């Protein structure tokens, strides 16, 4: 696969995948470990009202998505405790509220334009410089957060009660994790869209988890899987004229299914 023989839009799509892979892979392991898959999907889908509002008021759609993501992250963080059930309940409430607001805005206040639709379903072949910068920033923040707060995230994810007993009582690390996941979810909108964000943030990490119990190796495998599935998805999408976001998501799902079947056979 020669970069020289590729279209310019294809090269930018590959760069986007590589930039986002570090953040998606690292945060994906924490999402799976902490049971935040539903939250991840919800915070990406809840970008809908922000996108509609941005299109109606003529400001950058990513700004609208980031604003909505921040509101959802703050809402879930404020309503939940460290128990997984409370995260799910708070996430469901935030998601329903965001979708209702989006439907009202799109039907009664503004019209949902093509730019909104592209961010709902992904637009890997129509990337801007801002999309690339956002992906790079998301990965840097994910790396810094993992290095600085990873031990606390691991302690709470492994045994929340035990973590509080040994002094891990502050909720700030948990809130930072929610914020980073929300930011990364918005950063993946350009790649796979709001409706398929879990294809990069959850599925590769869940696949890698089948093959290792060691956190560092798990994180490394997740990053590699995001990159490989994204690169293969872009290449296959161009050659088959298929939607890139859906192609990447389909490959991720196929690799996960194949891993599950292989694991059962070899076990």
């Amino acid at each position: 696969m020669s970069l020289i023989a590729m279209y310019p839009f294809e090269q930018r799509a590959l760069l986007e995948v590589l930039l986002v892979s570090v953040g998606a892979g690292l945060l994906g392991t924490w999402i799976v470990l902490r049971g935040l898959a539903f939250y991840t999907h919800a915070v990406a889908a809840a970008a809908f009202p922000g996108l509609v509002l941005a299109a109606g008021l003529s400001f950058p759609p990513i700004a609208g998505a980031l604003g909505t993501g921040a509101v959802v992250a703050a809402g879930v963080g404020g309503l939940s405790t460290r128990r997984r059930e409370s995260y799910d309940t708070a996430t469901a409430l935030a998601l329903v509220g965001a979708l209702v607001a989006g439907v009202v805005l799109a039907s009664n206040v503004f019209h949902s334009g093509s730019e909104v639709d592209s961010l709902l379903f992904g637009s890997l072949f129509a990337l801007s410089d801002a999309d690339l910068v956002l992906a790079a920033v998301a990965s840097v923040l994910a790396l810094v957060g993992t290095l600085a707060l990873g031990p606390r995230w691991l302690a709470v994810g492994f045994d929340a009660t035990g973590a509080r007993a040994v002094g891990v009582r502050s909720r700030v690390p948990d809130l930072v994790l929610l914020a980073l996941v929300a930011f990364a979810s918005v950063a993946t909108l350009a790649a796979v869209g709001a409706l398929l964000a879990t294809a990069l943030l959850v599925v590769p990490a869940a696949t890698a988890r089948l093959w290792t119990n060691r956190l560092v190796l798990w994180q490394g495998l997740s990053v590699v899987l995001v990159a490989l599935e994204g690169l293969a998805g872009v290449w296959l999408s161009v050659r088959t004229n298929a939607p890139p976001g859906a192609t990447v998501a389909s490959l991720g799902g196929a690799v996960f299914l194949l891993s599950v079947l292989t694991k059962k056979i070899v076990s």
Side-chain angles (χ1 to χ4, degrees):
M1 185 165 56
S2 172
L3 287 176
I4 298 177
M6 290 182 179
Y7 299 108
F9 68 83
E10 190 177 359
Q11 294 176 10
R12 290 177 69 84
L14 294 177
L15 179 57
E16 168 78 4
V17 167
L18 292 176
L19 288 173
V20 82
S21 63
V22 175
L26 289 177
L27 289 176
T29 59
W30 299 117
I31 289 167
V32 174
L33 180 66
R34 297 293 301 274
L36 294 174
F38 179 41
Y39 167 77
T40 304
H41 171 72
V43 76
F48 177 44
L51 297 174
V52 175
L53 191 63
L57 298 179
S58 300
F59 62 86
I62 287 297
L66 285 172
T68 307
V71 170
V72 172
V76 172
L79 293 172
S80 63
T81 65
R82 282 177 173 165
R83 292 184 305 169
R84 182 174 301 182
E85 297 82 1
S86 107
Y87 277 122
D88 289 345
T89 300
T91 298
L93 292 172
L95 176 60
V96 170
L99 292 179
V100 167
V103 170
V104 171
L105 287 172
S107 60
N108 295 334
V109 182
F110 304 113
H111 291 291
S112 177
S114 59
E115 199 167 35
V116 174
D117 295 338
S118 69
L119 287 176
L120 285 175
F121 298 101
S123 54
L124 256 177
F125 296 150
L127 296 170
S128 66
D129 291 338
D131 295 324
L132 298 176
V133 171
L134 192 66
V137 171
S139 286
V140 170
L141 291 178
L143 180 59
V144 172
T146 295
L147 293 175
L149 299 173
R152 290 178 175 267
W153 293 342
L154 179 62
V156 175
F158 181 73
D159 184 358
T161 303
R164 289 194 294 271
V166 298
V168 183
R169 298 181 180 276
S170 174
R171 297 197 63 220
V172 172
D174 284 353
L175 296 178
V176 171
L177 178 58
L178 292 178
L180 289 178
V181 171
F183 189 86
S185 297
V186 173
T188 63
L189 295 184
V192 293
L195 301 181
L196 295 173
T198 53
L200 293 181
L201 288 166
V202 178
V203 177
T207 303
R209 182 66 180 85
L210 296 170
W211 299 103
T212 181
N213 292 320
R214 298 174 56 188
L215 179 62
V216 175
L217 180 57
W218 180 16
Q219 292 173 328
L221 285 175
S222 297
V223 171
V224 170
L225 268 179
V226 174
L228 290 180
E229 291 173 2
L231 294 176
V234 169
W235 182 87
L236 186 61
S237 174
V238 173
R239 272 72 196 171
T240 61
N241 198 30
T247 303
V248 172
S250 298
L251 279 177
V255 172
F256 176 77
L257 180 59
L258 182 61
S259 297
V260 171
L261 294 176
T262 304
K263 190 72 173 178
K264 288 186 176 182
I265 292 173
V266 300
S267 297

